[in-house]
Amino acid sequence: MKREAANLFSLSEAAVGVIALVGLYVISRYSYPAFHTIAELFGIIIGFSLFMLLWNSRRIIDNNYLVFIGIAYVSVAGLDLIHTLAYREINLFIGYGTNLPTQLWIAARYVESISLLTAPFFIHRKLKPGWTLASYIALTVVLLTSAFGGLFPDCYIDGIGLTPFKIISEYIISAILLCSLILLLRNRNEFDRDILVLLTLSIIITIGSELAFTFYVGFYDIPNLIGHYLKIISFYLIYKAIIEMGLSKPYNLMFRNLQQHEMALRESEERHRLLFEHSMDAILQMLPDGRILSANPTACRMFGCTEAELVQLGRDGIADSSDPRLGPAMEERARTGMFKGELTYMRKDKTKFPVDITSVSFRDEGGTVRSSIFIRDITERKLAADAVIHQAAKLEAMNQELESFAYSVSHDLRAPLRAIDGYSRMILSKQGDKFDDETKTRFNVIRHTTATMAKLIDDLLEFSRMGRKDLHITEIDMRQLLATTWEELQGLHPDRRMTLTMNELQPAWGDTALIKQVLINILSNAVKFTKGREEALIEVGNCIEENATVYYIRDNGVGFDMRYSDKLFKVFQRLHSADNFEGTGVGLSIVQRIIDRHGGRIWAESEVSKGATFYFTLPTRQE
């Protein structure tokens, strides 16, 4: 602040100021009333000058803070004028004594401080100057009437000095001025830096002036002299901030917002120029008849010619007239002023290439319709899309071939398995009474193994088909589906003690048949891995996440070591011995593929011998 303030005052200006203050001091020693009159007239002249400048500029000035201050200071200057004339030595108002000028002083300072506090609220608000001036004139009349009519509180009593009201008022006025300074600094971006510094210094010095006026007892005391010195300096700073700046730098004061808008416009134009020159897309400026006005460097590189050559070629020279989409595109742009889509353009050498084009029409300042054309070469994108389509077709053919192979293999494998199982059953039926127990056990192992193999073939075939099945999405009553699935499992294990606890279950969106398969697999595992327990305890519930529901199935089975959880959903990966728990090692892989196809996820948490909990998510609404 000190460095900025130093730049605002020249050495000659500072020297003249010091000489003037010394001269005023000499005058005060010779005649204090003369000093007082000069000091007050200085502020009065500045106050009326502020009003005249800002009032006559009110229609063109774009900062209502300044207009409000100008109107307020005509009231302050008026009250200070009557205050000066009320001094006992002038003998204009006989019979009022010293109390009257002191009352008028306090009244003027209240008006000044409250006005400075109120002014920031009009920076971005509309101000009605006529009504505001009328209000301040009315306020001035009321204050003068109350002072002359004996209604205004006493401020000075002869023989005693300043009253408590006057002293307390000076502190209140200083506090109001401090608040006005805070509001001014909060809106500092609305003011030129030099003007802000001068206004800030003026308010700070005014606070010092008010505090000085709380210490004198007689009108000729040193604090009174200091207070008037500080008032002169504060009014000079306001004069310099508004009157001098307003005349020498009007754009910094009266048209600051306009100046800022012009700067913002220039910055915007510079940004648009940089965007135009460095854009990755080709940009053309074009008239409705197809004439090209300008082209950016990217457009020149894209079409293989200079900007002058593009201007000469025009739209007809770069657009592929054989493209059937060209006519509808031009009609759409003419009808709506906009078009976005794909067309075919030509380079200078007549080679054609696909483009993604966006066209926006507008009227310039002269009323001429122009179009900004944004062009992106999508040759590589088209080639990549064709490659993806070709690759997808190959994958589809490979999947169909793989599915046919899997079906053929499963069919060819089932025949010998059925034969092995059938012959084993026949041998046991006809020759079983001749076998010892060990031989019978081995034949039963053969039959059990063939059944397991058949189940594995079915699971593998189901796993291979899972990615190709169409989803029939409906809202699923999870509670009803779980109850039906559990009833079927209980029928398969009538000798087991099993308890299912169903907590709240929210509906889900999915393929009912596939979600039932998920429940069958997870519940079957829960039943299987709790066979060593006296009673199988299984709990099912859910919790809500954003756009999804997390379902869980918890059991009290043998659990598993979480170090191997990454193998849980892989084909043929088993975490327990097949001798202890039967299974093909494919069921959870099928479950994961089903959940993936529904856009969900599945995971498990467990501890050895403390059961396992399987979690999976399903959408809560149809996507």
Side-chain angles (χ1 to χ4, degrees):
M1 178 71 74
K2 290 181 179 179
R3 184 178 299 174
E4 293 176 349
N7 295 332
L8 294 174
F9 303 97
S10 64
L11 289 175
S12 60
E13 185 178 12
V16 170
V18 171
I19 292 171
L21 291 177
V22 171
L24 285 173
Y25 177 76
V26 172
I27 292 173
S28 70
R29 297 297 91 189
Y30 176 75
S31 173
Y32 191 85
F35 160 78
H36 177 266
T37 302
I38 293 172
E40 294 296 338
L41 285 177
F42 180 79
I44 292 166
I45 293 171
I46 289 177
F48 282 121
S49 299
L50 283 177
F51 169 73
M52 292 174 63
L53 175 65
L54 296 172
W55 177 259
N56 289 290
S57 305
R58 68 187 184 279
R59 292 185 177 86
I60 57 173
I61 198 169
D62 57 10
N63 191 332
N64 285 329
Y65 176 95
L66 299 174
V67 177
F68 185 86
I69 288 296
I71 296 173
Y73 267 84
V74 75
S75 176
V76 174
L79 290 171
D80 279 343
L81 177 61
I82 305 301
H83 155 77
T84 304
L85 296 175
Y87 252 65
R88 182 169 51 190
E89 287 77 2
I90 296 179
N91 203 27
L92 182 62
F93 304 113
I94 300 173
Y96 284 96
T98 306
N99 187 39
L100 178 61
T102 311
Q103 290 174 316
L104 294 173
W105 168 270
I106 286 296
R109 302 291 73 77
Y110 267 121
V111 172
E112 181 182 15
S113 61
I114 294 174
S115 298
L116 289 171
L117 179 66
T118 308
F121 293 99
F122 289 100
I123 292 177
H124 299 293
R125 288 180 174 85
K126 187 176 181 181
L127 178 69
K128 295 181 179 180
W131 285 101
T132 305
L133 178 60
S135 300
Y136 268 101
I137 292 174
L139 175 63
T140 305
V141 171
V142 170
L143 291 174
L144 290 174
T145 302
S146 64
F148 281 95
L151 300 177
F152 199 92
D154 290 334
C155 294
Y156 188 90
I157 300 175
D158 290 330
I160 297 178
L162 301 176
T163 65
F165 171 77
K166 198 272 184 185
I167 296 174
I168 293 173
S169 291
E170 297 285 9
Y171 287 117
I172 293 174
I173 291 167
S174 298
I176 296 172
L177 288 169
L178 181 61
C179 293
S180 70
L181 177 61
I182 293 172
L183 288 178
L184 176 66
L185 294 177
R186 288 183 62 182
N187 293 276
R188 58 185 175 274
N189 293 331
E190 304 297 328
F191 297 88
D192 176 76
R193 188 201 66 174
D194 293 344
I195 294 174
L196 177 67
V197 171
L198 292 169
L199 290 175
T200 301
L201 291 174
S202 175
I203 294 175
I204 292 173
I205 292 173
T206 302
I207 293 173
S209 172
E210 295 302 317
L211 295 177
F213 284 121
T214 62
F215 294 109
Y216 74 88
V217 176
F219 275 95
Y220 305 105
D221 292 348
I222 292 297
N224 198 319
L225 180 69
I226 294 173
H228 281 93
Y229 269 155
L230 294 177
K231 182 186 176 185
I232 291 171
I233 295 172
S234 71
F235 268 80
Y236 175 74
L237 292 173
I238 291 181
Y239 155 79
K240 189 172 181 64
I242 298 178
I243 298 178
E244 183 180 313
M245 289 287 185
L247 295 175
S248 62
K249 300 178 181 179
Y251 275 90
N252 289 359
L253 177 68
M254 300 181 181
F255 310 114
R256 175 171 169 77
N257 291 340
L258 177 61
Q259 186 182 39
Q260 289 178 331
H261 293 329
E262 289 178 350
M263 291 176 61
L265 180 60
R266 286 195 294 270
E267 291 175 359
S268 177
E269 290 175 347
E270 179 64 14
R271 286 195 297 269
H272 281 87
R273 185 188 65 79
L274 293 174
L275 176 64
F276 182 79
E277 293 180 355
H278 300 287
S279 172
M280 299 297 291
D281 293 335
I283 303 177
L284 302 176
Q285 296 293 327
M286 189 180 296
L287 293 175
D289 59 6
R291 285 180 294 164
I292 295 176
L293 300 175
S294 62
N296 71 340
T298 305
C300 296
R301 291 192 297 270
M302 181 181 292
F303 290 100
C305 54
T306 64
E307 183 178 11
E309 289 173 329
L310 270 175
V311 171
Q312 185 177 3
L313 286 171
R315 180 181 59 210
D316 296 337
I318 61 173
D320 180 13
S321 58
S322 63
D323 189 342
R325 299 169 295 181
L326 182 60
M330 294 178 63
E331 292 176 4
E332 177 71 10
R333 187 176 67 183
R335 183 174 61 85
T336 65
M338 295 186 63
F339 171 74
K340 181 173 178 59
E342 293 184 8
L343 291 174
T344 303
Y345 271 17
M346 297 186 301
R347 296 184 175 89
K348 181 182 178 181
D349 59 5
K350 301 303 179 182
T351 57
K352 299 179 181 180
F353 62 101
V355 298
D356 190 0
I357 181 172
T358 300
S359 173
V360 181
S361 298
F362 61 94
R363 290 186 182 273
D364 61 16
E365 295 179 355
T368 303
V369 177
R370 297 189 180 191
S371 296
S372 292
I373 317 294
F374 301 88
I375 306 168
R376 178 171 296 180
D377 186 345
I378 58 173
T379 302
E380 293 184 1
R381 192 174 80 188
K382 283 286 188 181
L383 292 174
D386 291 342
V388 169
I389 293 172
H390 179 67
Q391 189 66 22
K394 288 178 61 178
L395 289 174
E396 178 69 17
M398 291 174 62
N399 281 333
Q400 290 181 353
E401 185 179 346
L402 182 61
E403 186 174 346
S404 298
F405 173 76
Y407 182 79
S408 176
V409 169
S410 65
H411 181 271
D412 293 343
L413 287 175
R414 281 194 180 95
L417 286 175
R418 284 196 296 268
I420 293 171
D421 182 61
Y423 283 123
S424 298
R425 187 175 65 253
M426 290 171 58
I427 292 171
L428 285 173
S429 175
K430 293 181 179 181
Q431 307 292 331
D433 54 346
K434 298 178 182 179
F435 296 151
D436 55 19
D437 291 340
E438 184 179 354
T439 303
K440 291 180 181 179
T441 299
R442 288 176 178 175
F443 270 99
N444 286 327
V445 169
I446 291 172
R447 293 196 62 200
H448 178 74
T449 304
T450 55
T452 301
M453 186 66 180
K455 179 66 168 57
L456 177 59
I457 292 171
D458 290 338
D459 286 348
L460 286 174
L461 187 59
E462 181 68 23
F463 182 75
S464 67
R465 291 173 174 172
M466 191 56 61
R468 296 175 49 80
K469 279 188 175 181
D470 292 332
L471 296 180
H472 302 285
I473 304 297
T474 58
E475 188 175 25
I476 304 173
D477 185 340
M478 293 294 287
R479 192 174 187 85
Q480 179 61 40
L481 185 62
L482 185 69
T484 303
T485 305
W486 180 248
E487 187 177 347
E488 294 175 4
L489 283 174
Q490 282 182 311
L492 296 175
H493 304 278
D495 55 333
R496 292 282 307 275
R497 289 182 58 194
M498 301 185 298
T499 300
L500 176 68
T501 302
M502 279 195 293
N503 298 318
E504 181 182 2
L505 289 173
Q506 296 292 328
W509 285 91
D511 186 304
T512 304
L514 293 181
I515 299 304
K516 183 176 181 180
Q517 191 169 353
V518 169
L519 296 177
I520 288 174
N521 274 280
I522 298 178
L523 288 172
S524 296
N525 277 349
V527 170
K528 177 170 60 177
F529 290 107
T530 56
K531 68 179 184 180
R533 303 291 191 246
E534 183 178 345
E535 180 180 8
L537 301 176
I538 301 172
E539 179 186 354
V540 182
N542 69 251
C543 59
I544 304 297
E545 288 186 348
E546 185 178 1
N547 296 328
T549 304
V550 180
Y551 298 94
Y552 66 86
I553 299 177
R554 181 178 295 118
D555 63 59
N556 65 332
V558 297
F560 59 87
D561 193 334
M562 286 295 291
R563 289 180 298 173
Y564 309 109
S565 60
D566 57 323
K567 299 180 179 180
L568 199 59
F569 299 101
K570 294 181 179 179
V571 180
F572 301 136
Q573 295 289 335
R574 299 172 56 88
L575 302 186
H576 300 87
S577 170
D579 296 335
N580 297 325
F581 300 99
E582 70 280 0
T584 62
V586 182
L588 287 179
S589 300
I590 294 174
V591 167
Q592 185 182 45
R593 182 163 289 194
I594 292 173
I595 297 300
D596 286 345
R597 291 205 62 196
H598 282 77
R601 54 194 177 93
I602 183 169
W603 70 97
E605 296 176 358
S606 178
E607 289 186 44
V608 177
S609 299
K610 293 185 179 181
T613 304
F614 282 81
Y615 301 88
F616 62 91
T617 66
L618 290 173
T620 55
R621 58 185 176 85
Q622 188 173 10
E623 297 291 346

